[in-house]
């Protein structure tokens, strides 16, 4: 197996302290948002044999295994991350596989450059993702019922929100949510700024259920995404709990440290809380306007001490082992590629000693045994 040297991305929303604290190093004072582990061309992990992209390209079948290559092609299908949010990320959704292929082919036909600010589809792949909390983790996930969203907006006492409240009381529910989100994103910018400012002031004053939205408005003053965010469920994960974000589910991460895994894609459609391009017609094609409570995942026990986060996607499978001093070694050998990430304690993976934030790549079929006292996350594929 190969020890990984990973890149930390300094996005502005990143926490300056969470990842350094996990790694046991001094903060630099700059935001450290995501540490990438995998073979994404934007920041591939480095090994003693070259970047993980180079290693896989040299012999995909040996590194990934026949089953993975047959199913997903000669590339690692997932990207594993440590994600540390110190401020809200953009409100966003991801397309399903058919929508991604259609959108990518359409933008290619129209000759939209990859670096154009209005380019939406960077590839033809979907981007399901899973976030597992290492600390308390706040986020937004999926639509509230329109009745609950109407009560939340109405409770602010802002007159310019009354039309949205009335629309949310219309039926059917999915049509009401679609109409309100459309109205929020296409409203006059000056009027929206005044509405968001008044709503933010009310959120500050009222507190309670409004507290997350007051924080969002502080980071994105005047952004229509502040009102759009109030249509969504607020969820607070405890360490070890997770959320799966499938296609079309609007979401945003607000604060906390977690392990994130996703299909290897860059396709994001933004709904707000961002200075970047918002493609409203395409967004409305992708969003699933289905209200409901966010489904918080807890790991399910599997043989040999493995705890699995069950999801409906095959590009990745995330699980963890919580190891105790004096406990048995666990044989993790699989016919698929793996990345093992230590998040607590001291773990031995083969010949490598892993401390929090360190990781290894295990080629398909290679022996992988872990022992020690700590927590190790295992990322692989279903093939």
């Amino acid at each position: 197996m190969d020890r990984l040297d990973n890149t930390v991305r300094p996005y502005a929303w990143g926490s300056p302290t969470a990842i350094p604290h996990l790694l046991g190093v001094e903060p630099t004072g700059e935001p450290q948002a995501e540490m990438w582990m995998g073979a994404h061309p934007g920041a591939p992990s480095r090994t003693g044999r070259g970047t993980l992209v180079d290693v896989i390209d040299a012999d995909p079948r040996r590194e990934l295994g026949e089953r993975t290559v047959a199913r997903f092609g000669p590339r690692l299908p997932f990207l594993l991350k440590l994600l540390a949010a110190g401020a809200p990320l953009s409100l966003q959704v991801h397309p399903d596989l058919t929508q991604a292929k259609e959108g990518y082919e359409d933008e290619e036909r129209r000759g939209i450059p990859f670096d154009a600010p209005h380019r939406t589809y960077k590839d033809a792949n979907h981007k399901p993702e899973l976030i597992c909390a290492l600390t308390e983790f706040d986020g937004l996930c999926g639509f509230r019922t329109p009745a609950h969203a109407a009560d939340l907006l109405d409770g602010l006492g802002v007159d310019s929100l009354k039309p949205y409240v009335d629309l949310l009381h219309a039926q059917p529910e999915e049509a009401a949510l679609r109409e309100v989100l459309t109205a929020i994103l296409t409203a006059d910018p000056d009027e929206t700024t005044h509405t968001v400012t008044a709503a933010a002031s009310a959120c500050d004053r009222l507190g309670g259920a409004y507290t997350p939205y007051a924080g969002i408005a502080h980071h994105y003053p005047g952004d229509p995404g502040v009102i759009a965010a109030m249509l969504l469920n607020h969820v607070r994960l405890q360490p070890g709990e997770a959320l799966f974000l499938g296609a079309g589910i609007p979401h945003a991460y607000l604060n906390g440290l977690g392990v994130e895994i996703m299909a290897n894609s860059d396709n994001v459609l933004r709904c707000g809380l961002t200075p970047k391009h918002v493609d409203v017609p395409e967004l409305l094609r992708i969003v699933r306007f289905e209200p409901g409570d966010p489904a918080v995942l807890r790991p399910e026990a599997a043989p040999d001490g493995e705890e699995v986060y069950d999801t409906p996607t095959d590009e990745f499978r995330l699980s963890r082992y919580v190891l105790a001093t004096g406990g048995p070694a666990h044989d993790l050998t699989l016919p698929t590629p793996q990345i093992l990430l230590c998040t607590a304690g001291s773990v031995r993976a083969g010949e490598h000693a892993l401390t929090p934030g360190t990781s290894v790549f295990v080629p398909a079929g290679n022996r992988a045994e872990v022992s020690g006292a700590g927590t190790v996350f295992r990322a692989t594929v279903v093939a």
Side-chain angles (χ1 to χ4, degrees):
M1 60 182 72
D2 298 279
R3 191 179 188 92
L4 298 179
D5 179 15
N6 303 304
T7 297
V8 175
R9 309 305 293 265
Y11 304 133
W13 49 261
S15 165
T17 58
I19 289 178
H21 177 74
L22 183 74
L23 296 174
V25 299
E26 285 296 317
T28 65
E30 299 298 317
Q32 298 191 33
E34 297 179 346
M35 186 171 77
W36 288 19
M37 291 158 279
H40 190 289
S45 298
R46 298 169 294 278
T47 78
R49 298 186 285 158
T51 72
L52 198 51
V53 170
D54 295 335
V55 168
I56 291 170
D57 284 349
D59 195 341
R61 284 176 169 76
R62 183 168 71 88
E63 303 297 333
L64 304 178
E66 294 286 349
R67 286 158 53 176
T68 301
V69 173
R71 182 78 186 276
F72 302 107
R75 62 186 185 88
L76 189 67
F78 64 83
L79 176 64
L80 185 67
K81 299 179 180 180
L82 281 172
L83 183 146
L89 282 67
S90 62
L91 190 60
Q92 59 189 260
V93 295
H94 307 301
D96 64 27
L97 191 56
T98 298
Q99 292 164 340
K101 289 178 178 177
E102 291 172 350
Y104 180 79
E105 290 169 0
D106 175 65
E107 291 189 333
E108 287 290 276
R109 279 195 303 269
R110 290 189 284 143
I112 300 176
F114 274 93
D115 58 354
H118 61 288
R119 174 95 189 202
T120 297
Y121 293 95
K122 308 297 186 182
D123 52 69
N125 199 17
H126 62 165
K127 193 186 178 188
E129 59 190 39
L130 176 77
I131 183 77
C132 177
L134 295 178
T135 65
E136 268 198 351
F137 194 98
D138 282 284
L140 306 174
C141 178
F143 286 105
R144 300 173 181 270
T145 63
H148 288 160
D151 289 345
L152 194 69
L153 292 177
D154 197 33
L156 291 171
V158 176
D159 288 343
S160 53
L161 291 174
K162 295 296 185 183
Y164 300 149
V165 173
D166 292 340
L167 286 171
L168 287 166
H169 285 303
Q171 294 294 329
E173 289 187 330
E174 292 183 21
L177 289 168
R178 176 182 288 274
E179 193 165 350
V180 171
L181 183 62
T182 303
I184 291 169
L185 297 180
T186 58
D188 177 84
D190 291 334
E191 293 179 6
T192 297
T193 298
H194 290 305
T195 298
V196 173
T197 300
S201 177
C203 287
D204 274 329
R205 183 179 72 254
L206 294 168
Y210 294 98
T211 299
Y213 306 99
I216 292 169
H218 171 75
H219 288 284
Y220 297 97
D223 192 304
V226 174
I227 306 302
M230 298 183 75
L231 303 177
L232 306 186
N233 298 294
H234 172 246
V235 60
R236 174 166 291 170
L237 300 177
Q238 297 304 311
E241 295 180 334
L243 283 175
F244 174 72
L245 292 314
I249 303 299
H251 60 279
Y253 302 146
L254 304 181
N255 186 267
L257 176 68
V259 174
E260 186 183 38
I261 189 168
M262 62 185 61
N264 212 344
S265 171
D266 291 321
N267 287 327
V268 175
L269 288 95
R270 294 173 177 84
C271 317
L273 311 182
T274 178
K276 296 181 179 179
H277 176 62
V278 176
D279 185 342
V280 175
E282 185 65 8
L283 175 70
L284 297 174
R285 185 177 83 93
I286 299 303
V287 172
R288 292 170 54 191
F289 292 93
E290 299 173 5
D293 293 332
V296 175
L297 295 177
R298 296 172 181 85
E300 299 179 2
D304 194 35
E306 187 180 25
E307 299 176 338
V308 181
Y309 293 92
D310 188 33
T311 73
T313 188
D314 289 345
E315 279 87 350
F316 60 76
R317 178 183 183 274
L318 186 71
S319 62
R320 70 175 185 179
Y321 288 81
V322 179
L323 308 173
T325 302
H330 297 266
D331 183 358
L332 274 57
T333 307
L334 287 175
T336 51
Q338 304 180 69
I339 292 177
L340 306 178
L341 165 67
C342 177
T343 59
S346 179
V347 174
R348 178 156 290 277
E351 70 274 24
H352 299 282
L354 301 183
T355 54
T358 59
S359 56
V360 293
F361 172 72
V362 186
N366 280 30
R367 182 169 175 77
E369 188 175 87
V370 296
S371 60
T375 301
V376 61
F377 280 81
R378 173 203 232 181
T380 187
V381 305
V382 180

